[in-house]
Amino acid sequence: AAILLKLGGYGLIRISSMLNPHPPNLMFPIMVLALWGILMTSSICLRQTDLKALIAYSSVSHMGLVTAAIIVQTPWSLTGAMILMVAHGLTSSALFALANTNYERTHTRTLLLVRGLQLAFPLMSTWWLLTNLTNMAMPPTINLLGELFIISTLFNWSSPTIIITGIGTLITATYSLYMFLMTQRGSISTQFRLLPPTHTREHLTLTLHLLPLGLLILKPALISGLFT
C-alpha cells in the first residue's frame, strides 16, 4: 500500500505528461471517477469492521486526490501530488505497522472485539493518535501541505470541486477519529487483560515513520522541488 500505489502514481505522472494537453474526452471521465472515488472509498471506511481493510480503503481515498491532481497537469498540482504520495506512503505504512502490533497480541482485526488498548499500551496509544492526526492532515504535517496544493489547484480548475474535496476531507477526519476511538478508548475486554508488552523495535519503526513526516515540513522542497 505504501509503495505500490505510489509507483502507480509515478506511472501516471510519466504517462500523462506525454498526453499534454489532454483531450477533453479523456480528461473529464477520469477526473469524475477520481473525485467520485474519494467520496465512495471514504464512505466505505466509515462502515468497516476490519482494521486493515479500513486502512487500505483510506489509501485508495488519498490516491483519488493524487490522480485528480495529476490529470490537471499544472506545476502546483504535480507538486501537491508528489508531496501527498510521499507523506501518505509514510502514514499508511505506519498505520499498517500499528495494526500489526495489535494483531500480534490480540489475534483479531475486528474493531468491535478489541477496544480500550490505551489502558494496556499508553505509549502505543500516543503513536496511534499522532498517526491518525497525520492521516487527517492536521497542521503542521506535510500531508496538509500536499492537500492544500491539490485542493487549491482543483478549485482553480473547476470551483465546484471544492464541495467534493471538502466533504472528502471531513469524512477522512471522521473515519480517522473513528479508528482511533474504536481501538484505544472504552473498556478493555477481560480476555485481553494480560497482553505481552510492546517492544523497542516497534517504537523504533514508528519513530522512523513519523520523524521524517515532522522534519519534511521544515524543508518541503526536498520532495517538491521537481516541479517548482
Side-chain angles (χ1 to χ4, degrees), residues 32-48:
V32 169
L33 286 174
L35 294 174
W36 185 246
I38 295 171
L39 294 182
M40 288 297 99
T41 51
S42 297
S43 302
I44 289 172
C45 288
L46 294 174
R47 293 185 59 84
Q48 285 302 310

Side-chain angles (χ1 to χ4, degrees), residues 47-189:
R47 293 185 59 84
Q48 285 302 310
T49 57
D50 188 292
L51 181 58
K52 285 192 175 181
L54 195 161
I55 299 170
Y57 279 115
S58 169
S59 298
V60 179
S61 172
H62 282 86
M63 287 307 294
L65 268 179
V66 172
T67 305
I70 293 171
I71 293 299
V72 175
Q73 280 287 301
T74 63
W76 268 45
S77 68
L78 292 175
T79 298
M82 284 293 295
I83 292 174
L84 192 59
M85 281 196 293
V86 173
H88 185 259
L90 292 167
T91 306
S92 175
S93 181
L95 285 171
F96 275 115
L98 285 166
N100 188 62
T101 59
N102 284 5
Y103 182 76
E104 285 180 346
R105 288 160 177 81
T106 61
H107 303 290
T108 179
R109 299 198 303 260
T110 305
L111 291 170
L112 293 174
L113 297 180
V114 184
R115 303 192 67 180
L117 291 181
Q118 181 182 5
L119 299 174
F121 310 117
L123 183 55
M124 195 60 71
S125 181
T126 304
W127 290 122
W128 270 104
L129 177 62
L130 292 175
T131 310
N132 278 286
L133 290 177
T134 306
N135 191 53
M136 69 173 73
M138 289 289 286
T141 58
I142 198 73
N143 304 58
L144 176 65
L145 183 63
E147 290 194 10
L148 285 177
F149 268 96
I150 294 174
I151 291 173
S152 59
T153 305
L154 291 176
F155 179 74
N156 188 51
W157 177 74
S158 177
S159 53
T161 58
I162 194 68
I163 300 173
I164 298 177
T165 53
I167 295 174
T169 303
L170 289 175
I171 299 177
T172 300
T174 303
Y175 70 69
S176 296
L177 291 173
Y178 164 75
M179 177 165 48
F180 175 75
L181 294 175
M182 287 296 291
T183 56
Q184 304 303 308
R185 305 297 293 176
S187 57
I188 191 169
S189 175

Side-chain angles (χ1 to χ4, degrees), residues 11-28:
L12 285 173
I13 291 175
R14 300 289 290 183
I15 291 174
S16 61
S17 62
M18 302 176 189
L19 302 175
N20 196 21
H22 295 299
N25 58 350
L26 173 66
M27 183 176 182
F28 287 106

